[in-house]
Amino acid sequence: MYSTNLTVPAPKIVDRQFKKPLLCGPGPCDVWPSVAEALTKPVLSPLCDELFNVLDDIRAGMKYLFQTQSNLVLAMSGSGHTGMEALISNLVAPKETMLIATRGIWDERAYEMAKRYGINAVTYRIPYNRSFSLKELETQLSKHRPAALFITHGDSSTGTVQKIEGLGELCHKYGTLLLVDTVVSLVAVPFFMDAWGVDGVYTSTQKALSGPAGISPVAFSVRAEEKINNRKHDPPFYFDIKLLAKQWNCYGNTRCYHHTLSPPLIWALRCCLQEVCKETLPKAWAKHAATTAYFHKRLQQMALEFLIPNPEDRLTTVTTVVLPKGYDYLEVVKYMIKKHNVLIFPGLGPTAGKSLRVGIMGVNSTIEVVDDVMNALTDALRALTKSSL
Amino acid sequence: MYSTNLTVPAPKIVDRQFKKPLLCGPGPCDVWPSVAEALTKPVLSPLCDELFNVLDDIRAGMKYLFQTQSNLVLAMSGSGHTGMEALISNLVAPKETMLIATRGIWDERAYEMAKRYGINAVTYRIPYNRSFSLKELETQLSKHRPAALFITHGDSSTGTVQKIEGLGELCHKYGTLLLVDTVVSLVAVPFFMDAWGVDGVYTSTQKALSGPAGISPVAFSVRAEEKINNRKHDPPFYFDIKLLAKQWNCYGNTRCYHHTLSPPLIWALRCCLQEVCKETLPKAWAKHAATTAYFHKRLQQMALEFLIPNPEDRLTTVTTVVLPKGYDYLEVVKYMIKKHNVLIFPGLGPTAGKSLRVGIMGVNSTIEVVDDVMNALTDALRALTKSSL
């Protein structure tokens, strides 16, 4: 009876051959084998107690990962960007100043977001190939006395790691909240939210946590919580931490509905947390450090150079590798995926055309994966030298 | 070396017994059996062509579901609320008037969102137990001449369906964009975006689409697209349709990165669209109508009453059922889940304490499921009459 009204016919959605490559870019990365089972666990309805039990599990696991005793720990239902946007829109009021320590593209994204909320976003930019000294950050803090400082712990566009220890104390001296992006560092690199005085932090699941993208854990200090509770402005509804805290039962006895959570992602995050809690953080940190040390040694044996000159500034998870003159970075990436089904990335933003970006993290932080990447890279450099240079 | 610094020990995250109930509330609902395989398909990286092929599949499938030839069709990475918030924040500028046709809690949520963007949100409220006449909507349109009218097609809190046909024409007469929530109606109830002059529409996956929650398809008319392209205000970064259109390659040759998409949800949505395209919309609509007719007949045989007096206002997917005096709605729901593992919902918002809400949709739109629900309900009414009344 209705079919005569159809103006758009049903498309034929046909399946294609697709062989997933070994994912050794800055992310998304490969996932724990146990994630497959977790993703297919039963749908959880808000009327099932089990949903709230799972949320409790996740909050306990995230407190461990962030190393915090804060109660205001939960996961945003979206990509890592929802974590970034939730921190900014909840913690910085329109017209307040937010200082953005800028060395890669994620800081630029934070700037782009902040502007949209009418925040006075101020960037302090350094060359892309190093991280910040606490001294230069203090100079900026004292100059701007911002409501918040935004900084990335690990920067996947440049392959740098930022020292956070000591920064919380400096920020608090100037009445500033410390907001940290740990998307590409958490689980792989030591991080201590409480001990380092971090006030707002977010991460993603598709990096060293080795889970599927689409859910973003966040945590707030008591200082940040007070600001949220006393704020005069309202963030977008979907990002409102006050309301989400009730859905996630952060303070007990408030199992409210805010939006419909995604059961596969909730189960998958819980699964990844189970894996990391079983492995323990100190072992995960040591494993990442050892695997990357091996990777870097192999790069040096090939006389390849690091884009980041100071070894202390180099990020454990993502390494930016400089090739000898004459190589086209994109061509190398394409060769490796085509001939070896190994996926690494070219540079991005400030590192575009200057380096490769190789991600060795999570379940791929193993000697075998490094060997696979090195074999593919060695072959690419040999083949492309011969053919196209 | 680091372990001495740990202040929060690893929690033991243990698995519990959990038997998923038959999900016959207003949602989330049960999923296609094929969704399990889809969820565990390979991770898709933005450097894999297959990611963009899958996005193309999804856009083609959604054009069919919405019945639109518009190019601006994509999916938000979040719950249905991201669809709602994207429509509002992209299409209505601060200080512009948005008229919200209010009969249930989703309209109230739209009001709550709109306020946060500084929009002049005006509600027009009718009793919860009916839908709007086009005549009364025209009176409001002519009175407020709003930039946009927000209305829900199916309202899961009241169990009502709204006639949309003819409304687009009325809206455009007053320079108003027509924004429609089809979360609990699409696939189950006929909907024709282009033919009905709808300018912005969103839906969810966890209702009649029978997929997992966490991704929200949206579509915009050419009229809406023009408004987006000429707007002076900026929505939140995560909701920015201008940028998302580039990520989703809506106009060809713009496979940009905006945020990291969730591979399991992308694959799952594609899978659900495959299923519906195979079944075809006319058959899906006819199936839902027939199953619900059977369900309603069985309710009438038990002399149970409908909360919505006019049969034409009753929503196919969610039925609000009034019990004889003396029954406690929550007690009935609890009994059915405990004794029969059948999950239906009590009333919500305006219907709290006034009705049950039973959802028969998607893969659960079958005679067998209706029989299971009716058996459980019959037993509950008998048992609770005897024991507690």
Side-chain angles (χ1 to χ4, degrees):
Chain A
M1 62 184 282
Y2 300 113
S3 59
T4 50
N5 297 324
L6 288 185
T7 53
V8 180
K12 281 214 172 59
I13 304 178
V14 289
D15 292 329
R16 292 166 295 266
Q17 285 288 327
F18 172 64
K19 193 172 169 242
K20 186 198 72 61
L22 180 64
L23 295 169
C24 293
C29 302
D30 286 290
V31 301
W32 295 98
S34 51
V35 160
E37 195 229 322
L39 281 168
T40 56
K41 282 195 173 187
V43 177
L44 293 166
S45 164
L47 290 204
C48 297
D49 280 344
E50 183 65 5
L51 170 61
F52 296 97
N53 295 335
V54 170
L55 301 189
D56 289 347
D57 291 340
I58 289 174
R59 292 185 60 252
M62 288 315 312
K63 285 180 178 197
Y64 175 63
L65 255 58
F66 286 131
Q67 284 294 299
T68 184
Q69 310 214 20
S70 169
N71 283 318
L72 198 46
V73 178
L74 55 87
M76 306 296 299
S77 295
S79 84
H81 276 29
T82 57
M84 187 190 278
E85 198 146 11
L87 258 62
I88 296 171
S89 63
N90 278 274
L91 291 175
V92 191
K95 295 187 184 163
E96 281 188 342
T97 298
M98 174 168 145
L99 176 62
I100 299 166
T102 306
R103 70 189 198 277
I105 74 151
W106 310 113
D107 322 309
E108 287 171 10
R109 190 131 291 188
Y111 175 79
E112 165 80 4
M113 285 181 184
K115 270 194 323 178
R116 290 168 182 244
Y117 293 102
I119 292 166
N120 176 34
V122 176
T123 57
Y124 171 62
R125 186 184 292 272
I126 58 167
Y128 64 83
N129 64 353
R130 66 171 178 94
S131 55
F132 298 88
S133 73
L134 294 194
K135 199 171 149 59
E136 65 189 338
L137 288 172
E138 175 159 23
T139 305
Q140 295 300 315
L141 288 168
S142 113
K143 182 175 163 193
H144 298 287
R145 298 187 178 252
L149 167 67
F150 180 93
I151 198 162
T152 59
H153 186 208
D155 185 293
S156 65
S157 64
T158 62
T160 54
V161 67
Q162 171 63 43
K163 186 184 176 187
I164 304 294
E165 190 175 3
L167 190 50
E169 214 173 310
L170 281 187
C171 282
H172 301 154
K173 197 168 134 187
Y174 296 96
T176 302
L177 294 174
L178 174 58
L179 316 188
V180 182
D181 169 321
T182 63
V183 166
V184 79
S185 59
L186 205 73
V187 176
V189 181
F191 180 81
F192 301 93
M193 176 173 175
D194 288 358
W196 292 353
V198 173
D199 296 302
V201 58
Y202 67 95
T203 195
S204 272
T205 37
Q206 78 278 12
K207 311 280 183 173
L209 252 172
S210 294
I215 185 162
S216 173
V218 294
F220 298 86
S221 71
V222 172
R223 195 179 271 106
E225 198 179 329
E226 272 170 21
K227 175 129 193 201
I228 289 172
N229 289 333
N230 296 320
R231 71 172 182 227
K232 300 277 182 292
H233 75 288
D234 277 323
F237 184 87
Y238 198 67
F239 302 142
D240 191 334
I241 294 297
K242 258 195 212 178
L243 302 177
L244 287 163
K246 289 182 188 166
Q247 176 163 40
W248 281 78
N249 197 27
C250 290
Y251 306 111
N253 298 318
T254 57
R255 298 176 167 196
C256 295
Y257 174 83
H258 173 268
H259 68 278
T260 303
L261 298 166
S262 179
L265 297 183
I266 290 283
W267 282 120
L269 173 54
R270 179 179 180 277
C271 164
C272 295
L273 293 167
Q274 266 183 319
E275 295 284 3
V276 177
C277 288
K278 250 189 283 174
E279 180 177 25
T280 79
L281 282 175
K283 282 193 187 148
W285 297 334
K287 177 187 76 181
H288 279 86
T291 309
T292 296
Y294 170 75
F295 175 44
H296 287 189
K297 201 175 116 197
R298 289 215 46 189
L299 289 170
Q300 285 167 315
Q301 284 166 350
M302 279 180 72
L304 294 175
E305 284 180 17
F306 298 100
L307 185 70
I308 310 306
N310 182 355
E312 284 187 12
D313 288 342
R314 288 176 202 151
L315 180 58
T316 307
T317 47
V318 178
T319 302
T320 37
V321 183
V322 179
L323 298 179
K325 274 208 175 124
Y327 282 106
D328 179 299
Y329 286 97
L330 206 55
E331 221 178 311
V332 171
V333 168
K334 282 182 181 165
Y335 182 93
M336 286 173 68
I337 184 91
K338 195 172 168 191
K339 296 279 178 179
H340 297 272
N341 212 27
V342 169
L343 181 61
I344 64 166
F345 278 39
L348 177 69
T351 65
K354 294 195 180 75
S355 75
L356 298 172
R357 294 185 297 149
V358 185
I360 302 289
M361 65 186 110
V363 294
N364 285 347
S365 176
T366 68
I367 300 299
E368 293 71 28
V369 167
V370 171
D371 287 343
D372 286 349
V373 171
M374 290 310 296
N375 291 344
L377 180 59
T378 306
D379 181 41
L381 296 186
R382 194 170 43 215
L384 295 174
T385 309
K386 280 180 188 156
S387 65
S388 64
L389 296 177
Chain B
M1 62 186 280
Y2 301 112
S3 60
T4 51
N5 295 326
L6 289 185
T7 53
V8 179
K12 282 214 170 61
I13 302 178
V14 289
D15 291 330
R16 292 166 296 268
Q17 285 288 327
F18 171 64
K19 192 170 171 246
K20 187 198 71 61
L22 180 64
L23 295 169
C24 294
C29 302
D30 286 290
V31 301
W32 295 98
S34 51
V35 160
E37 195 230 323
L39 282 168
T40 56
K41 282 195 172 185
V43 177
L44 293 166
S45 164
L47 289 205
C48 296
D49 280 344
E50 183 63 6
L51 171 61
F52 296 96
N53 295 337
V54 170
L55 301 189
D56 289 347
D57 291 340
I58 290 174
R59 292 185 59 251
M62 289 313 312
K63 285 180 180 197
Y64 176 62
L65 256 58
F66 286 131
Q67 283 295 297
T68 184
Q69 310 214 22
S70 169
N71 283 317
L72 199 45
V73 177
L74 53 88
M76 306 296 300
S77 295
S79 83
H81 277 28
T82 57
M84 187 190 279
E85 198 145 12
L87 258 60
I88 296 171
S89 64
N90 278 273
L91 291 176
V92 191
K95 295 188 184 161
E96 280 188 342
T97 298
M98 174 168 145
L99 176 62
I100 300 166
T102 306
R103 69 187 199 276
I105 74 152
W106 310 113
D107 321 309
E108 287 170 9
R109 190 131 291 188
Y111 174 79
E112 165 80 5
M113 285 180 184
K115 270 195 321 180
R116 290 168 182 243
Y117 292 102
I119 291 165
N120 176 35
V122 177
T123 58
Y124 170 63
R125 187 184 292 272
I126 58 166
Y128 63 85
N129 64 353
R130 66 170 178 95
S131 55
F132 298 88
S133 72
L134 294 193
K135 199 172 147 62
E136 66 190 339
L137 288 172
E138 176 161 21
T139 305
Q140 295 300 313
L141 288 167
S142 118
K143 182 175 164 193
H144 298 288
R145 298 189 177 252
L149 167 67
F150 180 93
I151 198 161
T152 58
H153 186 208
D155 185 293
S156 66
S157 65
T158 62
T160 53
V161 67
Q162 171 62 43
K163 185 184 175 187
I164 304 294
E165 191 176 2
L167 190 50
E169 214 173 310
L170 281 186
C171 282
H172 302 154
K173 196 168 135 188
Y174 296 96
T176 302
L177 295 173
L178 173 58
L179 316 188
V180 182
D181 170 321
T182 62
V183 166
V184 79
S185 59
L186 206 71
V187 176
V189 181
F191 181 81
F192 302 92
M193 176 172 176
D194 288 358
W196 293 353
V198 173
D199 296 303
V201 58
Y202 65 97
T203 195
S204 271
T205 38
Q206 77 279 11
K207 310 281 181 171
L209 253 171
S210 294
I215 184 160
S216 173
V218 293
F220 298 85
S221 70
V222 171
R223 195 179 271 106
E225 199 180 327
E226 272 170 19
K227 174 129 192 200
I228 289 173
N229 289 332
N230 296 320
R231 71 174 183 228
K232 301 278 183 292
H233 74 288
D234 277 324
F237 184 87
Y238 197 68
F239 302 141
D240 192 334
I241 294 297
K242 258 195 214 179
L243 302 176
L244 288 164
K246 289 183 188 166
Q247 176 164 41
W248 281 77
N249 196 28
C250 289
Y251 306 111
N253 298 316
T254 58
R255 297 176 166 196
C256 295
Y257 174 83
H258 173 267
H259 68 278
T260 303
L261 298 166
S262 179
L265 296 183
I266 290 284
W267 282 120
L269 173 54
R270 180 180 180 277
C271 164
C272 295
L273 292 168
Q274 265 183 321
E275 295 284 4
V276 177
C277 288
K278 249 189 285 174
E279 182 177 22
T280 78
L281 283 174
K283 283 193 187 148
W285 297 334
K287 178 187 75 182
H288 279 85
T291 309
T292 296
Y294 171 74
F295 175 44
H296 287 187
K297 200 175 118 197
R298 290 215 47 188
L299 289 170
Q300 285 168 313
Q301 283 166 351
M302 281 181 71
L304 293 175
E305 284 179 18
F306 298 101
L307 186 68
I308 309 306
N310 182 357
E312 283 186 13
D313 289 341
R314 287 177 202 150
L315 180 59
T316 308
T317 48
V318 177
T319 302
T320 37
V321 183
V322 179
L323 298 179
K325 274 207 174 126
Y327 283 104
D328 180 299
Y329 287 96
L330 206 55
E331 221 178 311
V332 171
V333 168
K334 282 182 181 164
Y335 182 93
M336 286 173 68
I337 183 94
K338 195 171 167 192
K339 297 279 178 181
H340 298 273
N341 212 29
V342 169
L343 182 61
I344 64 165
F345 278 39
L348 177 68
T351 63
K354 291 194 183 75
S355 76
L356 298 172
R357 292 185 298 149
V358 185
I360 303 289
M361 66 186 110
V363 294
N364 286 347
S365 176
T366 68
I367 300 299
E368 294 70 30
V369 167
V370 171
D371 287 342
D372 286 348
V373 170
M374 290 309 298
N375 291 344
L377 180 60
T378 306
D379 182 42
L381 296 186
R382 193 171 44 216
L384 294 173
T385 311
K386 282 180 186 155
S387 64
S388 62
L389 294 181

